[in-house]
Amino acid sequence: MTTIEHWVGGHTTAGRSARTAPVFDPATGEQQGEVRLATRDDVADAVGAADRAFEDWSQTSLARRAKVLFAFRELVNAHAEELAALIVAEHGKVFSDALGEVARGQEVIEFACGIPHLVKGEYSDQVSTGIDSFSFREPLGVVAGITPFNFPVMVPMWMHPVAIACGNTFVLKPSERDPSASNLVAELWQRAGLPDGVFNVVHGDKEAVDALLDDPRVSAVSFVGSTPIARYIHERGTANGKRVQALGGAKNHAIVLPDADIGFAAEHLSAAAFGSAGERCMAISAAVAVGGAGDAVVEAVSDLARAVRVGPGRDAASEMGPVVTRAAQERIESIVTAGEQQGAQVRVDGRGYVVPGHEGGFFVGPTVVDRVTSEMDVYREEIFGPVLSVVRADTVDEAIAFINANPYGNGTAIFTNSGEAARRFQRGVKVGMIGINVPVPVPMAFYSFGGWKDSLFGDKHVHGPEGVSFYTRAKVVTSRWPVPADASDATFHFRSTAR
Ligand code: NAD
């Protein structure tokens, strides 16, 4: 059986732990390998390697850093299919979607290739007589990334290309459920010319995470995962004096107004709810149908849900793969059952879904649940599976208020032909990322990604300008070069007049 090891200081290492976790093929349900789980000492070794590498890397010129980024971009491009195959094997999503995930990660690398421009400071000549003032940004040191299972390549790439381009060194703790792609990414960084120790991977669970949160040599932590863990990471990391951005879970709503093209809205709702088996933090999991739109939306989206081709991710005919684990499959099904018991109407039932030839796989079929209310578990829980709940509202204002009453605030969308309603929506919702007739409004790499409320703990969103700001700190210099003839102007008081 393959054991997936850590990558520290430029090579793989088993570390000191005998502990491992199983890695499954979600399409068959069979264990296909195991991943090493780091101890505190293993994490200390990885942080030590990153700490030693920091001095040289942070002094490396912007031109040379950019060159490594460009080479890394070419290597990721050349190995995109290999990365996508690793994602499919351990996550389960369909190959075309995995390739799209790699492409989205690559866009962040492309953004980071512009690092000489991104860290440009400001300069003010002659702020006072003979005095200039200027600012620039410096890297923080060792920074850590702790990432979820659902985007094993893209989410780490929201972090490490930007952090490394800024002159930091990086320790990645990827999800233990789909760990392999991170090791290939480490090899590609090395081949791109990144010095050993600048990018490290430790595999593990809570023990490894806690060690990163407690190590005084780690300056900042970027986390993406579920809300309870995001809250914990933020509390423990900041209590230890670190800069922390912790992105949490989501419940993303899409409003459908009666003036919308219902066919267009239903197609996009179906793709946004069932794509990647609903295991996207930007998946639409609740449709809010306004007024007369309700029955037509439910009808159209149910027809589409029944037609989704469910199967193994490596089969080119599949549109939707399995969910990640047996536990996830059972949890999703039990939440749908709870919704049914609480009065919701299951219009398309994906429970007990069997793919012929893959009877052991962790499949859940597309599921549409109608007449959902805010008290039901099927609405309150982040299901993270292929389940679309439909709730009804009488007006757009009621729909906006409904969204704002939800504790999450990651993404949301509206389907309408009314510019007035769309504008009221974009200004009124307390959500970080908003789509107007765009159901999954993920910002491009040159903007920043992040939610509000329980979807983000910390002040900065990831990648884009806020990512650069998160991974650097500013210096402001005030300088003058007096000549001997200049009279001294030292005083004991703040000046009250300009000079
Ligand atoms: P998770 O919270 O279970 O795990 C995320 C990371 O935290 C993993 O590396 C895991 O090993 C670690 N972890 C798990 N339990 C821990 C504990 N008790 N203490 C310390 N570390 C722990 O999340 P997941 O199931 O891997 O991913 C799905 C979740 O991630 C969903 O809630 C989804 O919405 C969220 N997500 C959010 C975004 C976003 O941008 N907001 C993006 C992707 C995923």
PDB file of all heavy atoms in Angstrom, residues 146-150 155 158 173-177 204-206 209 223-226 229 232 247-250 281 382 384 410 449 455, ligand 1:
ATOM      1  N   ILE A 146      -3.564  25.888   5.972  1.00  0.00           N
ATOM      2  CA  ILE A 146      -4.286  24.679   6.414  1.00  0.00           C
ATOM      3  C   ILE A 146      -5.540  24.609   5.548  1.00  0.00           C
ATOM      4  O   ILE A 146      -6.342  25.557   5.548  1.00  0.00           O
ATOM      5  CB  ILE A 146      -4.635  24.775   7.916  1.00  0.00           C
ATOM      6  CG1 ILE A 146      -3.351  24.939   8.747  1.00  0.00           C
ATOM      7  CG2 ILE A 146      -5.424  23.533   8.372  1.00  0.00           C
ATOM      8  CD1 ILE A 146      -3.582  25.518  10.121  1.00  0.00           C
ATOM      9  N   THR A 147      -5.698  23.529   4.789  1.00  0.00           N
ATOM     10  CA  THR A 147      -6.677  23.572   3.694  1.00  0.00           C
ATOM     11  C   THR A 147      -7.652  22.388   3.729  1.00  0.00           C
ATOM     12  O   THR A 147      -7.359  21.347   4.317  1.00  0.00           O
ATOM     13  CB  THR A 147      -5.931  23.634   2.347  1.00  0.00           C
ATOM     14  OG1 THR A 147      -4.979  22.575   2.290  1.00  0.00           O
ATOM     15  CG2 THR A 147      -5.214  24.953   2.184  1.00  0.00           C
ATOM     16  N   PRO A 148      -8.810  22.554   3.054  1.00  0.00           N
ATOM     17  CA  PRO A 148      -9.878  21.551   3.101  1.00  0.00           C
ATOM     18  C   PRO A 148      -9.746  20.524   1.975  1.00  0.00           C
ATOM     19  O   PRO A 148      -8.931  20.684   1.068  1.00  0.00           O
ATOM     20  CB  PRO A 148     -11.132  22.398   2.882  1.00  0.00           C
ATOM     21  CG  PRO A 148     -10.674  23.467   1.946  1.00  0.00           C
ATOM     22  CD  PRO A 148      -9.241  23.746   2.288  1.00  0.00           C
ATOM     23  N   PHE A 149     -10.616  19.515   2.019  1.00  0.00           N
ATOM     24  CA  PHE A 149     -10.530  18.434   1.037  1.00  0.00           C
ATOM     25  C   PHE A 149     -11.091  18.827  -0.323  1.00  0.00           C
ATOM     26  O   PHE A 149     -10.765  18.209  -1.335  1.00  0.00           O
ATOM     27  CB  PHE A 149     -11.284  17.185   1.552  1.00  0.00           C
ATOM     28  CG  PHE A 149     -12.767  17.259   1.351  1.00  0.00           C
ATOM     29  CD1 PHE A 149     -13.340  16.859   0.145  1.00  0.00           C
ATOM     30  CD2 PHE A 149     -13.621  17.752   2.340  1.00  0.00           C
ATOM     31  CE1 PHE A 149     -14.713  16.947  -0.070  1.00  0.00           C
ATOM     32  CE2 PHE A 149     -14.982  17.852   2.144  1.00  0.00           C
ATOM     33  CZ  PHE A 149     -15.525  17.446   0.931  1.00  0.00           C
ATOM     34  N   ASN A 150     -11.966  19.852  -0.370  1.00  0.00           N
ATOM     35  CA  ASN A 150     -12.804  19.982  -1.574  1.00  0.00           C
ATOM     36  C   ASN A 150     -12.095  20.596  -2.776  1.00  0.00           C
ATOM     37  O   ASN A 150     -12.554  20.406  -3.900  1.00  0.00           O
ATOM     38  CB  ASN A 150     -14.116  20.719  -1.255  1.00  0.00           C
ATOM     39  CG  ASN A 150     -13.911  22.151  -0.872  1.00  0.00           C
ATOM     40  OD1 ASN A 150     -12.925  22.485  -0.235  1.00  0.00           O
ATOM     41  ND2 ASN A 150     -14.827  23.004  -1.251  1.00  0.00           N
ATOM     42  N   VAL A 155      -7.310  25.565  -3.577  1.00  0.00           N
ATOM     43  CA  VAL A 155      -7.322  26.350  -2.334  1.00  0.00           C
ATOM     44  C   VAL A 155      -5.901  26.573  -1.801  1.00  0.00           C
ATOM     45  O   VAL A 155      -5.540  27.717  -1.476  1.00  0.00           O
ATOM     46  CB  VAL A 155      -8.280  25.748  -1.284  1.00  0.00           C
ATOM     47  CG1 VAL A 155      -8.041  26.388   0.084  1.00  0.00           C
ATOM     48  CG2 VAL A 155      -9.733  25.981  -1.695  1.00  0.00           C
ATOM     49  N   TRP A 158      -4.504  29.386  -3.616  1.00  0.00           N
ATOM     50  CA  TRP A 158      -4.956  30.723  -3.229  1.00  0.00           C
ATOM     51  C   TRP A 158      -3.892  31.368  -2.332  1.00  0.00           C
ATOM     52  O   TRP A 158      -3.845  32.589  -2.198  1.00  0.00           O
ATOM     53  CB  TRP A 158      -6.249  30.651  -2.414  1.00  0.00           C
ATOM     54  CG  TRP A 158      -7.499  30.361  -3.173  1.00  0.00           C
ATOM     55  CD1 TRP A 158      -7.655  30.306  -4.527  1.00  0.00           C
ATOM     56  CD2 TRP A 158      -8.794  30.115  -2.602  1.00  0.00           C
ATOM     57  NE1 TRP A 158      -8.964  30.023  -4.829  1.00  0.00           N
ATOM     58  CE2 TRP A 158      -9.677  29.908  -3.671  1.00  0.00           C
ATOM     59  CE3 TRP A 158      -9.277  30.048  -1.290  1.00  0.00           C
ATOM     60  CZ2 TRP A 158     -11.047  29.639  -3.473  1.00  0.00           C
ATOM     61  CZ3 TRP A 158     -10.620  29.782  -1.089  1.00  0.00           C
ATOM     62  CH2 TRP A 158     -11.500  29.578  -2.168  1.00  0.00           C
ATOM     63  N   LYS A 173      -0.392  22.411   5.301  1.00  0.00           N
ATOM     64  CA  LYS A 173      -0.992  21.214   5.927  1.00  0.00           C
ATOM     65  C   LYS A 173      -2.288  20.961   5.156  1.00  0.00           C
ATOM     66  O   LYS A 173      -3.340  21.502   5.489  1.00  0.00           O
ATOM     67  CB  LYS A 173      -1.257  21.487   7.410  1.00  0.00           C
ATOM     68  CG  LYS A 173      -1.307  20.238   8.307  1.00  0.00           C
ATOM     69  CD  LYS A 173      -2.297  19.196   7.873  1.00  0.00           C
ATOM     70  CE  LYS A 173      -3.724  19.525   8.225  1.00  0.00           C
ATOM     71  NZ  LYS A 173      -4.693  18.563   7.610  1.00  0.00           N
ATOM     72  N   PRO A 174      -2.206  20.126   4.101  1.00  0.00           N
ATOM     73  CA  PRO A 174      -3.415  19.888   3.296  1.00  0.00           C
ATOM     74  C   PRO A 174      -4.371  18.925   3.995  1.00  0.00           C
ATOM     75  O   PRO A 174      -4.043  18.344   5.031  1.00  0.00           O
ATOM     76  CB  PRO A 174      -2.862  19.259   2.021  1.00  0.00           C
ATOM     77  CG  PRO A 174      -1.538  18.676   2.399  1.00  0.00           C
ATOM     78  CD  PRO A 174      -1.056  19.357   3.652  1.00  0.00           C
ATOM     79  N   SER A 175      -5.530  18.747   3.388  1.00  0.00           N
ATOM     80  CA  SER A 175      -6.494  17.790   3.942  1.00  0.00           C
ATOM     81  C   SER A 175      -5.913  16.379   3.877  1.00  0.00           C
ATOM     82  O   SER A 175      -5.316  15.983   2.878  1.00  0.00           O
ATOM     83  CB  SER A 175      -7.797  17.836   3.140  1.00  0.00           C
ATOM     84  OG  SER A 175      -8.641  16.770   3.553  1.00  0.00           O
ATOM     85  N   GLU A 176      -6.125  15.643   4.924  1.00  0.00           N
ATOM     86  CA  GLU A 176      -5.633  14.258   4.976  1.00  0.00           C
ATOM     87  C   GLU A 176      -6.470  13.322   4.105  1.00  0.00           C
ATOM     88  O   GLU A 176      -6.116  12.162   3.913  1.00  0.00           O
ATOM     89  CB  GLU A 176      -5.569  13.761   6.425  1.00  0.00           C
ATOM     90  CG  GLU A 176      -6.891  13.715   7.191  1.00  0.00           C
ATOM     91  CD  GLU A 176      -7.270  15.048   7.859  1.00  0.00           C
ATOM     92  OE1 GLU A 176      -7.091  16.109   7.214  1.00  0.00           O
ATOM     93  OE2 GLU A 176      -7.767  15.008   9.001  1.00  0.00           O
ATOM     94  N   ARG A 177      -7.601  13.841   3.566  1.00  0.00           N
ATOM     95  CA  ARG A 177      -8.453  12.959   2.746  1.00  0.00           C
ATOM     96  C   ARG A 177      -7.952  12.864   1.310  1.00  0.00           C
ATOM     97  O   ARG A 177      -8.170  11.854   0.645  1.00  0.00           O
ATOM     98  CB  ARG A 177      -9.889  13.468   2.751  1.00  0.00           C
ATOM     99  CG  ARG A 177     -10.493  13.345   4.137  1.00  0.00           C
ATOM    100  CD  ARG A 177     -11.939  13.775   4.156  1.00  0.00           C
ATOM    101  NE  ARG A 177     -12.255  14.296   5.469  1.00  0.00           N
ATOM    102  CZ  ARG A 177     -13.133  15.243   5.714  1.00  0.00           C
ATOM    103  NH1 ARG A 177     -13.806  15.788   4.720  1.00  0.00           N
ATOM    104  NH2 ARG A 177     -13.354  15.641   6.932  1.00  0.00           N
ATOM    105  N   GLY A 204      -1.302  15.656   8.045  1.00  0.00           N
ATOM    106  CA  GLY A 204      -1.671  15.380   9.425  1.00  0.00           C
ATOM    107  C   GLY A 204      -3.081  15.815   9.742  1.00  0.00           C
ATOM    108  O   GLY A 204      -3.870  16.164   8.858  1.00  0.00           O
ATOM    109  N   ASP A 205      -3.365  15.758  11.041  1.00  0.00           N
ATOM    110  CA  ASP A 205      -4.700  16.087  11.532  1.00  0.00           C
ATOM    111  C   ASP A 205      -4.571  17.177  12.599  1.00  0.00           C
ATOM    112  O   ASP A 205      -3.679  18.017  12.536  1.00  0.00           O
ATOM    113  CB  ASP A 205      -5.400  14.819  12.034  1.00  0.00           C
ATOM    114  CG  ASP A 205      -4.560  14.067  13.068  1.00  0.00           C
ATOM    115  OD1 ASP A 205      -3.523  14.625  13.523  1.00  0.00           O
ATOM    116  OD2 ASP A 205      -4.926  12.930  13.420  1.00  0.00           O
ATOM    117  N   LYS A 206      -5.455  17.139  13.585  1.00  0.00           N
ATOM    118  CA  LYS A 206      -5.477  18.196  14.611  1.00  0.00           C
ATOM    119  C   LYS A 206      -4.113  18.385  15.284  1.00  0.00           C
ATOM    120  O   LYS A 206      -3.718  19.512  15.576  1.00  0.00           O
ATOM    121  CB  LYS A 206      -6.563  17.860  15.636  1.00  0.00           C
ATOM    122  CG  LYS A 206      -6.698  18.879  16.759  1.00  0.00           C
ATOM    123  CD  LYS A 206      -7.904  18.579  17.609  1.00  0.00           C
ATOM    124  CE  LYS A 206      -7.905  19.397  18.896  1.00  0.00           C
ATOM    125  NZ  LYS A 206      -7.767  20.839  18.694  1.00  0.00           N
ATOM    126  N   VAL A 209      -2.041  20.553  13.106  1.00  0.00           N
ATOM    127  CA  VAL A 209      -2.603  21.910  13.048  1.00  0.00           C
ATOM    128  C   VAL A 209      -2.281  22.669  14.342  1.00  0.00           C
ATOM    129  O   VAL A 209      -1.826  23.821  14.311  1.00  0.00           O
ATOM    130  CB  VAL A 209      -4.129  21.846  12.804  1.00  0.00           C
ATOM    131  CG1 VAL A 209      -4.766  23.227  12.967  1.00  0.00           C
ATOM    132  CG2 VAL A 209      -4.427  21.277  11.418  1.00  0.00           C
ATOM    133  N   PHE A 223      -6.297  29.771   6.711  1.00  0.00           N
ATOM    134  CA  PHE A 223      -7.085  28.541   6.860  1.00  0.00           C
ATOM    135  C   PHE A 223      -8.300  28.628   5.956  1.00  0.00           C
ATOM    136  O   PHE A 223      -8.930  29.682   5.832  1.00  0.00           O
ATOM    137  CB  PHE A 223      -7.546  28.376   8.311  1.00  0.00           C
ATOM    138  CG  PHE A 223      -8.529  27.241   8.502  1.00  0.00           C
ATOM    139  CD1 PHE A 223      -8.082  25.950   8.738  1.00  0.00           C
ATOM    140  CD2 PHE A 223      -9.908  27.467   8.428  1.00  0.00           C
ATOM    141  CE1 PHE A 223      -8.989  24.894   8.883  1.00  0.00           C
ATOM    142  CE2 PHE A 223     -10.810  26.420   8.569  1.00  0.00           C
ATOM    143  CZ  PHE A 223     -10.354  25.135   8.800  1.00  0.00           C
ATOM    144  N   VAL A 224      -8.665  27.488   5.362  1.00  0.00           N
ATOM    145  CA  VAL A 224      -9.961  27.361   4.688  1.00  0.00           C
ATOM    146  C   VAL A 224     -10.545  26.020   5.110  1.00  0.00           C
ATOM    147  O   VAL A 224      -9.874  24.983   5.040  1.00  0.00           O
ATOM    148  CB  VAL A 224      -9.806  27.414   3.148  1.00  0.00           C
ATOM    149  CG1 VAL A 224     -11.152  27.169   2.472  1.00  0.00           C
ATOM    150  CG2 VAL A 224      -9.241  28.763   2.706  1.00  0.00           C
ATOM    151  N   GLY A 225     -11.802  26.031   5.554  1.00  0.00           N
ATOM    152  CA  GLY A 225     -12.446  24.790   5.989  1.00  0.00           C
ATOM    153  C   GLY A 225     -13.804  25.105   6.582  1.00  0.00           C
ATOM    154  O   GLY A 225     -14.421  26.123   6.246  1.00  0.00           O
ATOM    155  N   SER A 226     -14.261  24.255   7.483  1.00  0.00           N
ATOM    156  CA  SER A 226     -15.602  24.429   8.034  1.00  0.00           C
ATOM    157  C   SER A 226     -15.604  25.519   9.114  1.00  0.00           C
ATOM    158  O   SER A 226     -14.565  25.831   9.711  1.00  0.00           O
ATOM    159  CB  SER A 226     -16.087  23.103   8.620  1.00  0.00           C
ATOM    160  OG  SER A 226     -15.191  22.684   9.628  1.00  0.00           O
ATOM    161  N   ILE A 229     -14.139  24.896  12.815  1.00  0.00           N
ATOM    162  CA  ILE A 229     -12.674  24.804  12.853  1.00  0.00           C
ATOM    163  C   ILE A 229     -12.070  26.175  12.517  1.00  0.00           C
ATOM    164  O   ILE A 229     -11.069  26.582  13.112  1.00  0.00           O
ATOM    165  CB  ILE A 229     -12.146  23.723  11.871  1.00  0.00           C
ATOM    166  CG1 ILE A 229     -12.893  22.389  12.064  1.00  0.00           C
ATOM    167  CG2 ILE A 229     -10.646  23.508  12.058  1.00  0.00           C
ATOM    168  CD1 ILE A 229     -12.742  21.751  13.409  1.00  0.00           C
ATOM    169  N   TYR A 232     -12.078  28.220  15.605  1.00  0.00           N
ATOM    170  CA  TYR A 232     -11.046  27.713  16.520  1.00  0.00           C
ATOM    171  C   TYR A 232      -9.640  28.170  16.086  1.00  0.00           C
ATOM    172  O   TYR A 232      -8.838  28.630  16.895  1.00  0.00           O
ATOM    173  CB  TYR A 232     -11.147  26.181  16.546  1.00  0.00           C
ATOM    174  CG  TYR A 232      -9.975  25.476  17.157  1.00  0.00           C
ATOM    175  CD1 TYR A 232      -9.780  25.453  18.542  1.00  0.00           C
ATOM    176  CD2 TYR A 232      -9.033  24.821  16.348  1.00  0.00           C
ATOM    177  CE1 TYR A 232      -8.690  24.802  19.089  1.00  0.00           C
ATOM    178  CE2 TYR A 232      -7.957  24.167  16.892  1.00  0.00           C
ATOM    179  CZ  TYR A 232      -7.773  24.163  18.261  1.00  0.00           C
ATOM    180  OH  TYR A 232      -6.698  23.530  18.795  1.00  0.00           O
ATOM    181  N   LEU A 247     -11.158  31.154   6.606  1.00  0.00           N
ATOM    182  CA  LEU A 247     -12.388  31.121   5.810  1.00  0.00           C
ATOM    183  C   LEU A 247     -13.196  29.893   6.198  1.00  0.00           C
ATOM    184  O   LEU A 247     -12.649  28.779   6.262  1.00  0.00           O
ATOM    185  CB  LEU A 247     -12.057  31.091   4.315  1.00  0.00           C
ATOM    186  CG  LEU A 247     -11.642  32.432   3.700  1.00  0.00           C
ATOM    187  CD1 LEU A 247     -10.271  32.882   4.173  1.00  0.00           C
ATOM    188  CD2 LEU A 247     -11.669  32.357   2.181  1.00  0.00           C
ATOM    189  N   GLY A 248     -14.481  30.086   6.469  1.00  0.00           N
ATOM    190  CA  GLY A 248     -15.312  29.004   6.980  1.00  0.00           C
ATOM    191  C   GLY A 248     -16.330  28.504   5.969  1.00  0.00           C
ATOM    192  O   GLY A 248     -16.172  28.651   4.758  1.00  0.00           O
ATOM    193  N   GLY A 249     -17.382  27.906   6.493  1.00  0.00           N
ATOM    194  CA  GLY A 249     -18.387  27.257   5.664  1.00  0.00           C
ATOM    195  C   GLY A 249     -19.360  28.251   5.045  1.00  0.00           C
ATOM    196  O   GLY A 249     -19.162  29.474   5.090  1.00  0.00           O
ATOM    197  N   ALA A 250     -20.426  27.709   4.474  1.00  0.00           N
ATOM    198  CA  ALA A 250     -21.323  28.567   3.694  1.00  0.00           C
ATOM    199  C   ALA A 250     -22.710  27.960   3.583  1.00  0.00           C
ATOM    200  O   ALA A 250     -22.904  26.753   3.768  1.00  0.00           O
ATOM    201  CB  ALA A 250     -20.749  28.756   2.292  1.00  0.00           C
ATOM    202  N   CYS A 281     -17.604  25.419  -1.644  1.00  0.00           N
ATOM    203  CA  CYS A 281     -18.036  26.412  -0.660  1.00  0.00           C
ATOM    204  C   CYS A 281     -18.883  27.488  -1.330  1.00  0.00           C
ATOM    205  O   CYS A 281     -19.549  28.264  -0.661  1.00  0.00           O
ATOM    206  CB  CYS A 281     -16.837  27.049   0.014  1.00  0.00           C
ATOM    207  SG  CYS A 281     -15.866  27.991  -1.140  1.00  0.00           S
ATOM    208  N   GLU A 382     -24.986  23.168   6.887  1.00  0.00           N
ATOM    209  CA  GLU A 382     -24.255  23.222   5.612  1.00  0.00           C
ATOM    210  C   GLU A 382     -24.136  21.767   5.159  1.00  0.00           C
ATOM    211  O   GLU A 382     -23.334  20.991   5.691  1.00  0.00           O
ATOM    212  CB  GLU A 382     -22.862  23.822   5.797  1.00  0.00           C
ATOM    213  CG  GLU A 382     -22.141  23.928   4.461  1.00  0.00           C
ATOM    214  CD  GLU A 382     -20.649  24.233   4.552  1.00  0.00           C
ATOM    215  OE1 GLU A 382     -20.026  24.009   5.603  1.00  0.00           O
ATOM    216  OE2 GLU A 382     -20.100  24.674   3.532  1.00  0.00           O
ATOM    217  N   PHE A 384     -23.219  20.292   2.272  1.00  0.00           N
ATOM    218  CA  PHE A 384     -22.018  19.970   1.494  1.00  0.00           C
ATOM    219  C   PHE A 384     -22.207  18.674   0.702  1.00  0.00           C
ATOM    220  O   PHE A 384     -21.389  17.751   0.720  1.00  0.00           O
ATOM    221  CB  PHE A 384     -20.788  19.882   2.410  1.00  0.00           C
ATOM    222  CG  PHE A 384     -19.603  20.604   1.824  1.00  0.00           C
ATOM    223  CD1 PHE A 384     -19.694  21.933   1.457  1.00  0.00           C
ATOM    224  CD2 PHE A 384     -18.385  19.954   1.624  1.00  0.00           C
ATOM    225  CE1 PHE A 384     -18.610  22.608   0.903  1.00  0.00           C
ATOM    226  CE2 PHE A 384     -17.301  20.617   1.062  1.00  0.00           C
ATOM    227  CZ  PHE A 384     -17.417  21.939   0.704  1.00  0.00           C
ATOM    228  N   ASN A 410     -21.107  33.841   2.554  1.00  0.00           N
ATOM    229  CA  ASN A 410     -20.024  33.610   1.595  1.00  0.00           C
ATOM    230  C   ASN A 410     -20.385  34.144   0.213  1.00  0.00           C
ATOM    231  O   ASN A 410     -19.865  35.134  -0.246  1.00  0.00           O
ATOM    232  CB  ASN A 410     -19.719  32.107   1.526  1.00  0.00           C
ATOM    233  CG  ASN A 410     -18.252  31.831   1.276  1.00  0.00           C
ATOM    234  OD1 ASN A 410     -17.402  32.509   1.834  1.00  0.00           O
ATOM    235  ND2 ASN A 410     -17.942  30.848   0.440  1.00  0.00           N
ATOM    236  N   PHE A 449     -10.866  36.919  -2.596  1.00  0.00           N
ATOM    237  CA  PHE A 449     -11.967  35.988  -2.346  1.00  0.00           C
ATOM    238  C   PHE A 449     -12.229  35.930  -0.845  1.00  0.00           C
ATOM    239  O   PHE A 449     -11.319  35.674  -0.052  1.00  0.00           O
ATOM    240  CB  PHE A 449     -11.557  34.590  -2.860  1.00  0.00           C
ATOM    241  CG  PHE A 449     -12.592  33.508  -2.642  1.00  0.00           C
ATOM    242  CD1 PHE A 449     -13.291  32.979  -3.720  1.00  0.00           C
ATOM    243  CD2 PHE A 449     -12.860  33.008  -1.373  1.00  0.00           C
ATOM    244  CE1 PHE A 449     -14.235  31.984  -3.535  1.00  0.00           C
ATOM    245  CE2 PHE A 449     -13.813  32.012  -1.175  1.00  0.00           C
ATOM    246  CZ  PHE A 449     -14.498  31.495  -2.261  1.00  0.00           C
ATOM    247  N   SER A 455     -18.626  33.060   7.632  1.00  0.00           N
ATOM    248  CA  SER A 455     -17.843  32.496   6.530  1.00  0.00           C
ATOM    249  C   SER A 455     -16.409  33.007   6.509  1.00  0.00           C
ATOM    250  O   SER A 455     -15.621  32.562   5.674  1.00  0.00           O
ATOM    251  CB  SER A 455     -18.514  32.799   5.188  1.00  0.00           C
ATOM    252  OG  SER A 455     -19.780  32.155   5.116  1.00  0.00           O
TER     253      SER A 455
HETATM  254  P1  NAD B   1     -12.607  20.779   7.804  1.00  0.00           P
HETATM  255  O1  NAD B   1     -12.869  21.998   8.598  1.00  0.00           O
HETATM  256  O2  NAD B   1     -13.054  19.476   8.342  1.00  0.00           O
HETATM  257  O3  NAD B   1     -11.018  20.611   7.564  1.00  0.00           O
HETATM  258  C1  NAD B   1     -10.237  21.670   7.065  1.00  0.00           C
HETATM  259  C2  NAD B   1      -8.798  21.503   7.598  1.00  0.00           C
HETATM  260  O4  NAD B   1      -8.813  21.567   9.018  1.00  0.00           O
HETATM  261  C3  NAD B   1      -8.177  20.168   7.208  1.00  0.00           C
HETATM  262  O5  NAD B   1      -6.822  20.386   6.857  1.00  0.00           O
HETATM  263  C4  NAD B   1      -8.289  19.354   8.487  1.00  0.00           C
HETATM  264  O6  NAD B   1      -7.239  18.413   8.638  1.00  0.00           O
HETATM  265  C5  NAD B   1      -8.221  20.405   9.582  1.00  0.00           C
HETATM  266  N1  NAD B   1      -8.999  20.034  10.778  1.00  0.00           N
HETATM  267  C6  NAD B   1     -10.130  19.274  10.819  1.00  0.00           C
HETATM  268  N2  NAD B   1     -10.564  19.147  12.093  1.00  0.00           N
HETATM  269  C7  NAD B   1      -9.696  19.857  12.866  1.00  0.00           C
HETATM  270  C8  NAD B   1      -9.614  20.105  14.272  1.00  0.00           C
HETATM  271  N3  NAD B   1     -10.511  19.618  15.143  1.00  0.00           N
HETATM  272  N4  NAD B   1      -8.604  20.870  14.721  1.00  0.00           N
HETATM  273  C9  NAD B   1      -7.690  21.379  13.869  1.00  0.00           C
HETATM  274  N5  NAD B   1      -7.700  21.163  12.534  1.00  0.00           N
HETATM  275  C10 NAD B   1      -8.697  20.414  12.033  1.00  0.00           C
HETATM  276  O7  NAD B   1     -13.202  21.033   6.342  1.00  0.00           O
HETATM  277  P2  NAD B   1     -13.349  19.994   5.133  1.00  0.00           P
HETATM  278  O8  NAD B   1     -14.422  19.016   5.447  1.00  0.00           O
HETATM  279  O9  NAD B   1     -12.013  19.493   4.735  1.00  0.00           O
HETATM  280  O10 NAD B   1     -13.834  20.992   3.975  1.00  0.00           O
HETATM  281  C11 NAD B   1     -15.179  21.369   3.789  1.00  0.00           C
HETATM  282  C12 NAD B   1     -15.484  22.687   4.476  1.00  0.00           C
HETATM  283  O11 NAD B   1     -14.620  23.705   3.985  1.00  0.00           O
HETATM  284  C13 NAD B   1     -16.897  23.186   4.190  1.00  0.00           C
HETATM  285  O12 NAD B   1     -17.425  23.710   5.378  1.00  0.00           O
HETATM  286  C14 NAD B   1     -16.682  24.276   3.149  1.00  0.00           C
HETATM  287  O13 NAD B   1     -17.694  25.264   3.103  1.00  0.00           O
HETATM  288  C15 NAD B   1     -15.394  24.843   3.607  1.00  0.00           C
HETATM  289  N6  NAD B   1     -14.744  25.589   2.549  1.00  0.00           N
HETATM  290  C16 NAD B   1     -14.784  26.941   2.616  1.00  0.00           C
HETATM  291  C17 NAD B   1     -14.224  27.693   1.610  1.00  0.00           C
HETATM  292  C18 NAD B   1     -14.258  29.189   1.661  1.00  0.00           C
HETATM  293  O14 NAD B   1     -13.631  29.807   0.817  1.00  0.00           O
HETATM  294  N7  NAD B   1     -14.955  29.811   2.587  1.00  0.00           N
HETATM  295  C19 NAD B   1     -13.588  27.053   0.529  1.00  0.00           C
HETATM  296  C20 NAD B   1     -13.551  25.663   0.500  1.00  0.00           C
HETATM  297  C21 NAD B   1     -14.137  24.947   1.532  1.00  0.00           C
END
